[in-house]
């Protein structure tokens, strides 16, 4: 038996009934009816439900139709409903496999030409399943009971309304018929749980319109022409992107933060860290010991300290053969995990077999003092060691400090935490929280002007082209070859990225194609002068070129005759070195501290917790060791790693100075793979990506606290995957309102970027070099901020080609053009008198503006002001976040993702590369056609006066003369009224044929016929 599956995804821009609507969808096929849930008060409903119908034979499908009707549920009981639109689809257009089916958008149609206007569209995916592949349960027949099957979809909802009265009014030959049916219906909805894997998307299918993008994502919508409707449909209808899956949205939270509680029943000392929840810890500082007894027969002692609280135990490093050891280690036990009221500090002797007991000190937790951050550090004290019976003998003393504090304590970052009890001392640093600062970067400009007295060392090198190579660290640039002569000239400018403290050297070599080095020059970056503006460029200087040969490397004397090279060198300190994309840059300050702007505010970020994280280490029992990395400006932050938990709670707060509101803060979450011996070799393992969040500061209200759960989305080869949610608390405080307002009128980048701009190709290359320098410098820290984390935070591959990202940008443009399209449609409705009242009001307004033209500009600006005030009610209440639907990542095909993640150059088989090349040619061909059409329209406009068509140009200039005379003798107001009334004339005075000016313009020649 064949099954017909109708997936109802969503609808958009439905016709409101009494201001809104509560829509549901009813589908009828072959005498079977099923319906979806009702979405209350939603003109853009999202169902994502699947309805299944029985079909005896797939061959009968071509002769049947599928009726999809959208109703408005007025009373919630489905007995009173309004018609919102329908779609009739012929069975001949239904694919016979799920892989061939795509999501299509169908415009809703009226019942007939005498019915009221209907607007909106609905997204459907329809396909048929044959035999065993039809694994969905059969739908119930009319009057039948509910059919249940063990092999159903995960989520199944059964309609409990036993009696549903259908009052569908059908106008047939001027008569009304009421149809009442009594049935039990079952519908199946697809669940979107947090841990469910996304089903594999269908393969790409290239549609016949637009730019050739694949029509498998729901935002790429076709207007189907193979279903019954009242009027003709366009071949292609571009819609705005559908709403995002609620699973990928923000969730607002209300954690008990001191900043919101305003110290009511809250400790005022928490004001320093008021964006995180207080977490109390028991701190034990083990400093040193003295006069410890000898335990071994050989008269030696290898002491170490064991700190035990309940089931948690921390151990210091053992010190060999020392009776007065110094440890200086701090242990932190979370108060939430305290399982005992007694703290035991035991000194033991490291031995080959069983370790010997030296002495013990115990503390009652009720007597431990509480310390808050404003207080000075607690002074350690000497405690005499007891034996196992509690008696004090001459067993030595140990210096300890024990107190109860919070995560605001200065000992928190360096402490050994109780959740890291199985971490070795060598790997303990990889779990600690740290603050990093990326190096200050500068642009180094090397202008190679020319050289003198270049003499080849061999006969082979004579008559060869010469060129100059410049090395700076791992960066290499070369000039173009110059024809062979003794004094060549290049006049080329090469740019590099240099970093403080300028330890690198610039190596300049003059070579020929032999290959042979004609001379070499080595300069220190510290000796190169700095330039802060473009007004006073440094004068070029002649430098002596030294010989480069094995025999001359150890010679210290200077040659009597040397070749020379003319260079202009400078370190440009007036630029901002881009190490991330300008679209979401976090720092726009120039390199020079002298040119930097004053700060305008403070950004405070509280990294609270995460939930529903997926286990990233499947081989280790399904665990995740999560830590966060935050970048804003040149300050990087790494939180401590919380081990073996899928719901970590960091509660760490950090602060940044803000110099520009139009910047972005980036928060990334990673799984630490360098603990407990994992990844002993640096290249063997990499920290895994869990997700990333970007927040633009200009979208935040000042002095408001934002607390939300942000979805952690990662695009992988298998598709988009949600790895959990990250809870953040964010607050932007402005300290200089005047400076912040004036920032909106200043250039985004420093002045040098506009006075002496850098080419796009060179800027992209320099950005890549800056990323490599920052990643290398941060990887040398302790603990290292690893290369893969820095690359992910800086979006190294952002400029690489991606068909998915190209489609996303295309639909962003279409979304922008939709506003212009709506305005044109509104003007067209006015011209065709679709709403007579509105058209009359526009006539009156037009006549007023013509009579009083001085009111035009005030009216426009007043209208903009009113629109802005009106939209204030609908302003975003949440900060922006990663939009999966806007990114075209939710339904991307696996082949497109594989192409996006492919290396450069590609490593894929030749057949796959050929297929992708053909697909790219198809897309480029349609883009080429659109660009050609735009060029043709421009060339037709130029052809008006170019006499390429002498008759058309003669007609145009004579017509222009007549109009010039007419407008000269006629008042402007009269001309404007006549033109306006002509454009707004009633439809009975209009013709369906194109206008005369349009026909004249289309007949003008273009250069398309001149192309080969």
């Amino acid at each position: 038996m064949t099954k017909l599956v109708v997936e109802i995804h969503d609808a958009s821009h439905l016709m409101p009934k009494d201001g809104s609507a509560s829509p549901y969808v009813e589908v009828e096929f072959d005498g079977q009816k099923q319906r979806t849930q009702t979405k209350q008060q939603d003109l853009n409903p999202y169902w994502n439900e699947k309805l299944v119908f029985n079909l005896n034979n797939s061959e009968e499908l071509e002769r049947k139709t599928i009726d999809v009707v959208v109703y408005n549920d007025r009373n919630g009981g489905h007995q009173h409903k309004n018609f919102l639109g329908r779609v009739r689809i012929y069975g001949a257009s239904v694919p016979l496999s799920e892989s061939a089916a795509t999501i299509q958008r169908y415009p809703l149609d009226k019942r007939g030409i005498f019915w009221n206007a209907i607007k909106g569209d609905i997204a459907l995916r329809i396909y048929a399943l044959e035999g065993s592949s039809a694994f969905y349960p059969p739908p119930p027949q009319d009057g039948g009971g509910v059919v249940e099957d063990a092999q159903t979809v995960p989520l199944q909802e059964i309609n409990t309304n036993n009696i549903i009265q259908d009052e569908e009014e059908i106008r047939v030959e001027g008569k009304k018929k009421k149809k009442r049916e009594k049935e039990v219906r079952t519908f199946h909805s697809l669940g979107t749980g947090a841990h469910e894997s996304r089903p594999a998307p269908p393969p790409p299918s290239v549609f016949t319109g637009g730019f050739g993008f694949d029509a498998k994502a729901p935002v790429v919508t076709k207007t189907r022409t193979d279903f019954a409707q009242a009027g003709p449909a366009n071949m292609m209808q571009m819609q705005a992107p559908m709403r995002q899956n609620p699973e990928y949205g923000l969730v607002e939270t209300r954690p008990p933060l001191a900043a919101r509680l305003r110290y009511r029943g809250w400790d005022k000392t928490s004001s320093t860290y008021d964006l995180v929840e207080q977490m109390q810890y028991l701190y034990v500082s083990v400093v040193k010991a003295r006069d410890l007894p000898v335990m071994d027969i050989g008269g030696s002692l290898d002491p170490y300290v064991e700190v035990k609280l309940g089931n948690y135990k921390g151990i210091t490093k053992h010190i060999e053969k020392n009776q007065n050891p110094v440890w200086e280690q701090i242990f932190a036990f979370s108060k939430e995990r305290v399982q005992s009221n007694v703290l035991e500090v035991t000194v033991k002797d490291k031995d080959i077999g069983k370790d010997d007991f030296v002495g013990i000190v115990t503390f009652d937790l009720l007597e431990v003092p509480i310390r808050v951050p404003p207080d000075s550090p607690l002074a350690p004290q000497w405690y005499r060691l007891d034996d196992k019976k509690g008696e004090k003998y001459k067993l030595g003393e140990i210096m300890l400090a024990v107190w109860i504090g919070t995560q605001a304590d200065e000992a928190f970052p360096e402490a050994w935490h109780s959740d890291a009890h199985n971490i070795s001392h060598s790997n303990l640093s990889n779990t600690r929280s740290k603050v990093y600062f990326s190096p200050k970067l500068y642009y180094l400009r090397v202008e190679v002007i020319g050289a003198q007295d270049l003499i080849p060392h061999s006969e082979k090198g004579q008559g060869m082209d010469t060129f100059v190579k410049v090395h700076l660290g791992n960066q290499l640039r070369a000039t173009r070859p110059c024809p062979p002569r003794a004094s060549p000239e290049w006049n080329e400018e090469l740019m590099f990225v240099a970093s403080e403290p300028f330890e690198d050297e610039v190596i300049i070599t003059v070579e020929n194609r032999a290959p042979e080095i004609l001379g070499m020059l080595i300069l220190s970056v510290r000796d190169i002068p700095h330039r802060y503006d473009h007004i006073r460029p440094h004068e070029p200087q002649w430098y002596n070129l030294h010989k480069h040969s094995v025999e001359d490397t150890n010679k210290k004397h200077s040659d009597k005759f040397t070749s020379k090279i003319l260079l202009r060198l400078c370190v440009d300190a007036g630029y901002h070195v881009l190490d991330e994309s300008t679209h979401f840059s976090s720092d726009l300050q120039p390199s020079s501290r002298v040119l930097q702007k004053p700060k305008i505010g403070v950004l405070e970020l509280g990294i609270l917790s995460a939930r529903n994280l997926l286990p990233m280490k499947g081989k280790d029992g399904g665990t995740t060791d999560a830590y966060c990395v935050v970048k804003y400006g040149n300050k990087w932050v790494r939180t401590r790693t919380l081990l073996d938990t899928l719901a970590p709670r960091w509660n760490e707060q950090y602060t940044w100075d803000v110099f520009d509101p139009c910047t972005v803060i980036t928060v990334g979450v990673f799984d630490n793979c360098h603990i407990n011996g994992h990844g002993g070799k640096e290249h063997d393992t990499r920290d895994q990506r869990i997700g990333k969040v970007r927040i633009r500061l200009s979208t935040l209200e000042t002095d408001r606290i934002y607390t939300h759960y942000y979805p952690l989305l990662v695009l992988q080869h298998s598709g988009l995957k949600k790895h959990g949610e990250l809870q953040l608390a964010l607050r932007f405080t402005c300290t200089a309102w005047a400076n912040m307002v004036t920032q909106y009128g200043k250039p985004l980048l420093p002045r040098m970027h506009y006075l002496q701009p850098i080419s796009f190709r060179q800027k992209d290359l320099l950005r890549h070099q800056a990323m490599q320098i920052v990643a290398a410098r941060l990887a040398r820290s302790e603990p290292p901020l690893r290369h893969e984390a820095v690359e992910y935070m800086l979006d190294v591959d952002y400029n690489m080609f991606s068909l998915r990202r190209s489609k996303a940008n295309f639909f962003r443009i279409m979304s922008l053009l939709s506003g212009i399209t709506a305005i044109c449609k509104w003007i067209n409705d006015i011209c065709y008198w679709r709403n007579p009242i509105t058209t009359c009001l526009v006539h009156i307004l037009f006549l007023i503006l013509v009579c009083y033209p001085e009111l035009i500009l005030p009216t426009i600006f007043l209208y903009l002001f009113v629109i802005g005030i009106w939209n204030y009610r609908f302003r975003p209440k949440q900060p922006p976040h990663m939009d999966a639907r806007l990114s075209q990542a939710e339904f991307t095909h696996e082949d497109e993702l594989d192409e996006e993640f492919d290396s450069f150059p590609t490593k894929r088989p030749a057949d796959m590369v050929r297929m992708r090349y053909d697909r790219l040619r198809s897309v480029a061909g349609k883009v080429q056609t659109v660009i050609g059409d735009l060029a043709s329209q421009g060339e037709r406009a130029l052809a008006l006066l170019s006499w390429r068509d002498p008759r058309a140009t003669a007609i145009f200039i004579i017509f222009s003369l007549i109009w010039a005379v007419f407008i000269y003798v006629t008042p402007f107001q009269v001309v404007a009224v006549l033109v306006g009334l002509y454009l707004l004339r009633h439809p009975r005075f209009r013709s369906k044929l194109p206008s005369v000016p349009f026909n004249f313009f289309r007949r003008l020649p273009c250069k398309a016929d001149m192309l080969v």
Side-chain angles (χ1 to χ4, degrees):
M1 179 176 289
T2 304
K3 306 292 183 183
L4 177 70
V5 182
V6 180
E7 295 183 5
I8 303 173
H9 285 258
D10 74 294
S12 60
H13 308 297
L14 298 179
M15 177 68 71
K17 301 295 183 181
D18 298 329
S20 185
S22 300
Y24 69 92
V25 180
E26 189 174 84
V27 182
E28 181 178 1
F29 173 74
D30 196 21
Q32 309 169 53
K33 277 191 177 183
Q34 296 189 52
R35 59 175 304 279
T36 66
Q37 291 177 320
T38 300
K39 298 298 181 180
Q40 298 294 333
Q41 304 298 320
D42 193 352
L43 296 178
N44 298 280
Y46 182 82
W47 289 286
N48 194 21
E49 298 184 14
K50 184 176 294 187
L51 309 179
V52 185
F53 299 87
N54 286 331
L55 183 63
N56 294 328
N57 190 352
S58 60
E59 297 179 356
E60 301 177 359
L61 182 61
E62 298 181 358
R63 298 187 295 272
K64 297 184 181 297
T65 59
I66 306 167
D67 291 325
V68 181
V69 187
V70 183
Y71 291 107
N72 170 38
D73 186 4
R74 291 189 293 179
N75 297 333
H78 314 298
Q79 299 182 2
H80 302 281
K81 55 189 178 182
N82 300 113
F83 177 81
L84 297 181
R86 73 169 184 176
V87 175
R88 176 167 294 174
I89 304 165
Y90 294 118
S93 63
V94 176
L96 299 180
S97 65
E98 182 178 3
S99 60
T102 59
I103 299 177
Q104 312 284 349
R105 296 201 72 85
Y106 299 85
L108 296 176
D109 191 19
K110 301 184 293 185
R111 286 195 181 127
I113 59 175
F114 298 103
W115 287 80
N116 294 331
I118 296 297
K119 70 175 185 177
D121 54 71
I122 187 170
L124 303 174
R125 183 169 179 250
I126 306 175
Y127 54 91
L129 297 176
E130 289 280 356
S132 59
S133 62
F135 57 87
Y136 298 102
Q141 302 294 334
D142 292 345
V146 177
V147 180
E148 297 183 356
D149 195 348
Q151 297 180 351
T152 59
V153 290
L155 294 181
Q156 176 175 344
E157 301 181 9
I158 301 177
N159 188 5
T160 57
N161 298 322
N162 295 328
I163 301 178
I164 298 181
Q165 188 175 11
D166 185 6
E167 296 182 355
E168 179 183 3
E169 298 181 358
I170 305 176
R171 186 182 296 267
V172 180
E173 296 179 359
K175 297 183 180 181
K176 297 182 179 180
K177 295 183 179 180
K178 294 186 178 181
K179 180 180 180 181
R180 303 177 181 269
E181 294 182 357
K182 182 178 179 181
E183 59 182 349
V184 179
R185 302 182 179 92
T186 303
F187 62 90
H188 309 272
S189 74
L190 289 178
T192 56
H195 302 289
E196 292 180 358
S197 58
R198 183 177 62 84
S205 59
V206 180
F207 53 70
T208 58
F211 287 94
F213 291 141
D214 300 340
K216 58 187 177 304
V219 290
V220 186
T221 56
K222 286 185 183 178
T223 298
R224 295 290 300 268
T225 57
D226 51 359
F227 63 94
Q229 53 182 2
N234 298 326
M235 289 301 295
M236 177 58 55
Q237 178 181 2
M238 293 299 178
Q239 299 286 345
M242 296 189 299
R243 293 183 304 166
Q244 187 174 221
N245 191 335
E247 181 186 355
Y248 301 146
L250 293 186
V251 178
E252 188 171 3
T253 60
R254 302 288 296 183
L257 305 181
R260 282 180 173 165
L261 295 177
R262 300 182 183 274
Y263 314 129
R264 293 176 302 189
W266 195 265
D267 188 5
K268 291 187 178 182
T269 58
S270 62
S271 60
T272 305
Y273 295 86
D274 58 350
L275 291 185
V276 293
E277 302 178 41
Q278 266 198 2
M279 299 177 65
Q280 291 191 338
Y281 290 87
L282 173 65
Y283 291 96
V284 181
S285 176
V286 181
V287 183
K288 56 184 177 180
R290 65 184 179 187
D291 303 332
L292 297 180
V294 176
M295 304 301 296
D296 294 340
I297 301 176
S300 64
L301 178 68
D302 304 328
Y304 69 91
V305 178
E306 178 184 276
V307 182
K308 185 178 181 181
L309 181 65
N311 293 331
Y312 294 100
K313 181 174 60 175
I315 301 175
T316 67
K317 296 182 292 185
H318 75 277
I319 300 177
E320 296 182 356
K321 299 180 181 180
N322 195 332
Q323 294 180 259
N324 299 286
V326 177
W327 293 285
E328 292 185 348
Q329 288 185 238
I330 301 176
F331 299 86
F333 298 88
S334 176
K335 192 176 180 181
E336 297 177 352
R337 302 183 180 183
V338 171
Q339 301 172 345
S340 175
N341 293 329
V342 178
L343 173 68
E344 299 179 357
V345 181
T346 308
V347 181
K348 294 186 177 182
D349 176 33
K350 186 73 173 179
D351 211 339
I352 298 177
K354 183 179 179 182
D355 297 340
D356 297 328
F357 175 86
V358 177
I360 187 173
V361 178
T362 60
F363 295 88
D364 189 352
L365 296 188
L366 299 178
E367 299 178 359
V368 174
I370 298 177
R371 177 186 175 271
V372 290
D375 295 342
S376 299
L378 194 66
Q381 301 180 17
W382 287 104
Y383 293 89
R384 185 168 295 178
L385 296 174
D386 300 341
D387 60 4
K388 294 183 179 179
K389 297 181 181 179
E391 298 179 358
K392 297 184 183 295
Y393 291 101
K394 294 183 179 181
L395 301 177
E397 293 178 317
I398 184 171
M399 180 178 283
L400 302 172
V402 182
W403 72 95
I404 294 177
T406 64
Q407 71 269 33
D409 201 295
E410 63 270 7
F412 178 82
E414 300 296 333
W416 174 96
H417 291 269
S418 56
D419 58 352
H421 58 276
N422 57 347
I423 299 297
S424 62
H425 292 283
S426 59
N427 294 320
L428 185 61
S429 62
N430 289 324
T431 66
R432 289 174 175 166
S433 58
K434 290 291 180 181
V435 175
Y436 308 83
F437 285 91
S438 56
K440 182 69 69 175
L441 302 178
Y442 296 82
Y443 285 141
L444 173 63
R445 192 184 299 268
V446 180
E447 185 177 354
V448 183
I449 301 176
Q452 286 185 356
D453 304 327
L454 295 180
I455 301 175
H457 301 301
S458 62
E459 296 181 358
K460 183 180 179 181
Q462 295 180 358
M464 294 261 182
D465 295 345
T466 57
F467 56 92
V468 179
K469 283 186 178 180
V470 183
H471 296 257
L472 178 63
N474 296 327
Q475 307 172 60
L476 172 63
R477 305 283 190 276
T479 65
R480 67 181 186 278
C482 183
R485 53 188 173 186
S487 300
E489 293 182 358
W490 293 280
N491 291 317
E492 281 195 46
E493 201 172 67
L494 309 176
M495 294 194 69
F496 303 84
V497 178
S499 61
E500 290 183 348
F502 301 125
E503 299 174 345
D504 296 330
E505 293 181 335
V506 181
I507 304 176
I508 303 173
T509 58
V510 182
E511 305 179 16
N512 57 22
R513 296 184 180 275
E516 182 182 9
I517 297 179
L518 305 181
M520 183 193 311
L521 174 64
I522 300 177
L523 297 173
S524 176
V525 181
R526 296 178 181 175
D527 300 332
I528 299 176
H530 288 228
R531 188 180 70 159
Y532 301 95
D533 53 38
H534 70 292
I535 300 176
R536 295 179 297 273
H538 295 281
E539 294 296 329
Q541 295 183 14
W542 287 98
Y543 295 90
N544 294 330
L545 292 175
H546 303 285
K547 295 181 180 179
H548 179 77
S549 62
V550 179
E551 300 174 355
D552 297 334
T553 53
N554 297 325
K555 291 183 179 181
K556 298 294 180 74
H557 66 277
S558 59
D559 297 330
K560 296 181 180 180
F561 176 81
T562 60
S563 303
K564 296 182 180 294
I565 186 170
L566 183 61
L567 302 173
R568 180 184 282 118
L569 301 171
C570 66
V571 175
D572 280 325
Y575 289 90
H576 168 70
V577 180
L578 297 169
D579 58 350
E580 52 191 344
S581 176
T582 53
H583 299 295
F584 35 81
S585 179
S586 63
D587 184 16
L588 302 172
Q589 293 281 79
S591 301
S592 174
R593 295 178 178 86
V594 179
L595 302 177
Q596 291 182 356
K597 310 168 188 175
K599 73 173 186 177
I600 62 171
V602 176
L603 174 65
E604 298 169 274
L605 175 67
I607 305 173
L608 302 179
S609 61
R611 67 180 183 183
N612 300 329
L613 295 183
L614 298 184
M616 306 299 293
K617 298 183 178 68
K619 298 181 180 180
D620 298 339
T623 63
T624 297
D625 306 320
Y627 69 93
C628 298
V629 176
V630 188
K631 184 198 183 301
Y632 184 76
N634 65 335
K635 180 179 178 181
W636 295 67
V637 165
R638 171 178 175 158
T639 66
R640 68 188 184 96
T641 302
L642 297 183
L643 308 177
D644 300 337
T645 176
L646 302 180
R649 297 179 66 232
W650 291 284
N651 283 303
E652 299 183 25
Q653 182 173 342
Y654 300 93
T655 305
W656 288 266
D657 290 334
V658 178
F659 299 90
D660 196 310
C662 301
T663 47
V664 177
I665 183 173
T666 306
V667 185
V669 186
F670 301 88
D671 178 46
N672 197 335
C673 298
H674 295 83
I675 53 179
N676 281 340
H678 295 295
K681 297 182 179 179
E682 187 69 22
H683 60 276
D684 286 344
T685 185
R686 297 163 62 92
D687 290 349
Q688 300 185 59
R689 305 171 179 177
I690 297 180
K692 181 168 56 178
V693 176
R694 281 196 295 257
I695 303 173
R696 182 171 291 274
L697 269 62
S698 59
T699 61
L700 304 178
E701 299 178 11
T702 56
D703 298 322
R704 178 184 170 185
I705 301 174
Y706 294 86
T707 53
H708 294 84
Y709 271 112
Y710 295 82
L712 298 175
L713 307 177
V714 175
L715 195 62
Q716 300 177 343
H717 289 82
S718 58
L720 185 67
K721 194 169 186 179
K722 180 180 178 182
H723 283 171
E725 295 173 288
L726 176 66
Q727 187 181 20
L728 300 176
L730 198 66
R731 178 172 60 195
F732 172 48
T733 305
C734 180
T735 58
W737 274 96
N739 291 341
M740 185 178 70
V741 173
T742 56
Q743 283 290 337
Y744 283 90
K746 295 181 179 180
L748 189 66
L749 294 171
R751 299 176 58 215
M752 287 293 291
H753 286 270
Y754 307 96
L755 300 176
Q756 195 170 353
I758 305 173
S759 64
F760 176 79
R761 180 178 177 276
Q762 201 169 21
K763 188 184 301 182
D764 189 57
L765 181 61
L766 294 173
R767 173 176 172 261
H768 179 73
Q769 296 293 342
M771 288 181 180
Q772 298 298 325
I773 293 175
V774 172
R777 186 69 62 87
L778 296 178
R780 293 164 55 187
S781 306
E782 184 62 33
L785 197 57
R786 304 194 180 275
H787 199 274
E788 60 270 16
V790 176
E791 286 186 347
Y792 182 56
M793 298 290 289
L794 296 178
D795 287 286
V796 174
D797 54 351
Y798 180 76
N799 290 335
M800 297 295 292
F801 172 76
S802 168
L803 188 60
R804 173 193 61 83
R805 199 175 287 124
S806 301
K807 289 194 294 184
N809 293 331
F810 171 77
F811 284 105
R812 287 170 59 194
I813 296 177
M814 296 305 299
S815 178
L816 292 177
L817 297 179
S818 63
I820 301 176
T821 304
I823 295 175
C824 296
K825 183 178 182 300
W826 179 75
I827 296 175
N828 184 71
D829 292 344
I830 290 174
C831 294
Y832 282 88
W833 292 70
R834 300 286 171 80
N835 191 336
I837 298 177
T838 304
T839 305
C840 293
L841 293 176
V842 170
H843 277 77
I844 296 173
L845 179 62
F846 171 72
L847 294 176
I848 293 174
L849 295 178
V850 169
C851 297
Y852 302 96
E854 63 273 9
L855 297 179
I856 295 177
L857 289 179
T859 302
I860 293 176
F861 287 106
L862 181 62
Y863 181 67
L864 296 177
F865 171 79
V866 172
I867 291 178
I869 295 297
W870 177 261
N871 289 339
Y872 181 78
R873 300 169 51 200
F874 311 102
R875 67 190 185 278
K877 299 298 192 302
Q878 297 176 340
H881 64 288
M882 300 287 187
D883 195 326
R885 190 62 58 86
L886 179 66
S887 306
Q888 294 290 309
E890 198 169 357
F891 298 99
T892 306
H893 193 264
E894 292 182 0
D895 180 68
E896 295 180 8
L897 293 177
D898 183 72
E899 181 182 16
E900 182 173 346
F901 289 106
D902 191 10
S903 60
F904 188 84
T906 182
K907 297 181 180 178
R908 297 295 183 264
D911 294 341
M912 183 178 295
V913 175
R914 186 180 298 108
M915 182 270 295
R916 292 174 179 173
Y917 176 68
D918 292 340
R919 180 177 60 189
L920 187 61
R921 290 178 60 192
S922 175
V923 175
K926 292 178 173 58
V927 175
Q928 172 183 289
T929 302
V930 173
I931 295 176
D933 292 341
L934 294 177
S936 298
Q937 306 306 323
E939 291 167 355
R940 288 191 178 105
L942 296 176
L944 287 171
L945 298 174
S946 64
W947 294 91
R948 287 198 61 207
D949 187 342
R951 286 166 293 278
T953 303
I955 294 173
F956 178 75
I957 61 176
I958 294 174
F959 182 78
S960 300
L961 178 62
I962 295 174
W963 263 100
V965 174
F966 175 76
I967 294 175
Y968 179 76
V969 300
T970 308
F972 175 76
Q973 285 84 353
V974 176
V975 177
V977 170
L978 293 177
V979 173
L981 293 179
Y982 174 77
L983 295 177
L984 298 175
R985 66 191 184 277
H986 197 272
R988 69 175 55 187
F989 302 109
R990 295 178 180 273
S991 174
K992 294 184 178 180
L993 298 178
S995 62
V996 174
F998 181 80
N999 295 332
F1000 180 79
F1001 185 80
R1002 289 297 301 271
R1003 290 177 175 273
L1004 292 173
C1006 63
K1007 296 182 180 180
D1009 52 351
M1010 300 171 62
L1011 298 177
V1012 178

